[in-house]
């Protein structure tokens, strides 16, 4: 069973930066796809960034060029560096994991979720 714990959220002014961290335990990280999702109350959850076990990454259009997902399989950590933050980036951000199993990591059906960390941009 994979356990995920996010940290690093907070309040920041537009144009600022934050770095989210996700600590993973309970499974060999290098067998897992990892991703960051975000959700605003009343709206559907949105996949923000995905990264394969071999660190191939994908970022959704709205954050590409501003956000960067990365991972450290040895330290069992996943990160989301967020630069040039906009008001519309305000959301609860969730770290998520799923077994890679040779499939694309850009998918909706992630099996394991953290508790979330709030990012507020004003």
């Amino acid at each position: 069973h994979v356990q995920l714990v996010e940290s690093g959220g907070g309040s920041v002014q537009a144009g600022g930066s934050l770095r989210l961290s996700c600590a993973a335990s309970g499974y060999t990280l290098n067998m897992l796809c990892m991703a960051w999702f975000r959700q605003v109350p009343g709206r559907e959850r949105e996949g923000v960034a995905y990264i394969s076990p071999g660190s191939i990454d994908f970022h959704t259009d709205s954050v590409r060029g501003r956000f960067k997902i990365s991972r450290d399989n040895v330290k069992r950590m996943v990160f989301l560096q967020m630069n040039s933050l906009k008001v519309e980036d305000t959301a609860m951000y969730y770290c998520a994991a799923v077994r890679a199993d040779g499939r694309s990591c850009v998918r909706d059906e992630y099996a394991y979720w953290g508790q979330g960390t709030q990012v507020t941009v004003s």
Side-chain angles (χ1 to χ4, degrees), residues 16 36 46 57 71 88 122:
W36 289 95
E46 174 189 23
D57 59 29
R71 65 192 291 161
E88 52 264 41
S122 61

Side-chain angles (χ1 to χ4, degrees), residues 86-103:
K86 303 177 180 181
V87 172
E88 52 264 41
D89 294 319
T90 295
M92 184 72 80
Y93 283 72
Y94 297 91
C95 178
V98 68
R99 283 174 56 102
D101 291 337
R103 298 172 56 199

Side-chain angles (χ1 to χ4, degrees), residues 37-46 90-94 118:
F37 289 78
R38 65 186 180 187
Q39 189 166 24
V40 175
R43 296 179 62 181
E44 288 191 3
R45 186 175 60 206
E46 174 189 23
T90 295
M92 184 72 80
Y93 283 72
Y94 297 91
Q118 178 68 37

Side-chain angles (χ1 to χ4, degrees), residues 31 41 47 61-62 66 73 88 95 100 110 118 120:
M31 296 180 67
D61 286 348
S62 60
R66 300 188 298 120
N73 288 339
E88 52 264 41
C95 178
Y110 271 65
Q118 178 68 37
T120 302

Side-chain angles (χ1 to χ4, degrees), residues 50-114:
Y50 307 80
I51 189 166
S52 73
S55 293
I56 297 172
D57 59 29
F58 176 86
H59 300 78
T60 194
D61 286 348
S62 60
V63 308
R64 191 171 296 131
R66 300 188 298 120
F67 292 11
K68 178 69 173 178
I69 189 171
S70 62
R71 65 192 291 161
D72 185 329
N73 288 339
V74 174
K75 295 182 178 179
R76 296 187 173 185
M77 297 291 296
V78 180
F79 306 98
L80 185 67
Q81 179 65 44
M82 306 187 295
N83 299 324
S84 302
L85 281 160
K86 303 177 180 181
V87 172
E88 52 264 41
D89 294 319
T90 295
M92 184 72 80
Y93 283 72
Y94 297 91
C95 178
V98 68
R99 283 174 56 102
D101 291 337
R103 298 172 56 199
S104 170
C105 292
V106 184
R107 40 178 148 148
D108 291 331
E109 63 275 18
Y110 271 65
Y112 305 102
W113 296 84

